[in-house]
Amino acid sequence: MKFKISVSDEKYSELEAFLKDHGIEISEEAEYEITERKGSSEFLSVRNEKKERISLSTAEIVFIEAFGKDIEIHTMQDTFYSSDRMYQIEALLDTKEFIRISKSVIISRGHVKKIRPTLSMKFVLTLTNGVQVDVTRSYYAEFKKFYNI
């Protein structure tokens, strides 16, 4: 049986040695993946444009957007992809740093540049990468509480 390891650099060597000592093969093409989970993960396992799996630091994430089953994770420089569901990704993120603002968007608190209220109980956010996203009515009250507005 083969496993891929997607954990922080500090833990990778220790985990790799443990698995090899127990006869488990490590491979990038493995069917199974071992990832780090601490209630709020510092890394997400994502795919880049070349479809290579990498560990992305959650500190780099500006926002996450869903298009049906396709998930895009946007940073200041690149866009990454995930096959996980939004609720799975949301569960991995630090609730003090990330908030869901609609059915299809999660934002990073540190990347909100401007908050503009609208007349219809919504907010329009401008993020640090210049993208504008809407806080929908369903998430309006939770967003106000998150930002103490």
Side-chain angles (χ1 to χ4, degrees):
M1 188 174 286
K2 295 179 188 177
F3 284 88
K4 178 183 180 201
I5 303 174
S6 295
V7 296
S8 61
D9 293 337
E10 304 87 49
K11 297 179 181 171
Y12 187 92
S13 297
E14 180 184 349
L15 185 56
E16 179 183 38
F18 175 83
L19 292 172
K20 285 183 177 180
D21 287 348
H22 288 83
I24 297 172
E25 187 178 342
I26 310 300
S27 170
E28 288 296 312
E29 290 79 38
E31 182 179 347
Y32 300 102
E33 182 174 3
I34 297 173
T35 58
E36 202 168 8
R37 181 176 268 175
K38 298 181 239 174
S40 64
S41 180
E42 294 176 26
F43 296 91
L44 290 181
S45 179
V46 297
R47 292 184 323 276
N48 61 18
E49 287 183 0
K50 298 176 184 175
K51 300 200 187 272
E52 301 166 323
R53 281 232 174 251
I54 63 164
S55 288
L56 177 67
S57 170
T58 57
E60 294 181 55
I61 297 172
V62 176
F63 73 104
I64 302 167
E65 191 168 22
F67 300 98
K69 292 184 181 180
D70 299 324
I71 306 290
E72 292 184 356
I73 297 107
H74 299 272
T75 66
M76 290 297 287
Q77 296 81 21
D78 295 306
T79 299
F80 299 92
Y81 307 92
S82 177
S83 55
D84 292 335
R85 301 279 192 224
M86 280 294 268
Y87 73 89
Q88 292 171 317
I89 293 172
E90 185 178 21
L92 294 173
L93 298 171
D94 184 349
T95 57
K96 293 177 184 148
E97 295 300 320
F98 291 89
I99 184 169
R100 194 165 188 164
I101 61 165
S102 70
K103 190 175 177 182
S104 60
V105 177
I106 297 171
I107 59 150
S108 169
R109 172 181 279 213
H111 287 281
V112 175
K113 188 175 175 181
K114 183 178 175 183
I115 301 171
R116 185 172 50 90
T118 67
L119 297 174
S120 59
M121 285 187 57
K122 288 172 57 173
F123 289 106
V124 176
L125 310 179
T126 303
L127 304 177
T128 53
N129 63 356
V131 172
Q132 290 189 336
V133 292
D134 293 344
V135 178
T136 61
R137 283 182 228 160
S138 301
Y139 294 86
Y140 181 82
E142 189 176 335
F143 179 83
K144 284 179 66 172
K145 185 178 175 184
F146 186 74
Y147 275 96
N148 296 316
I149 297 174

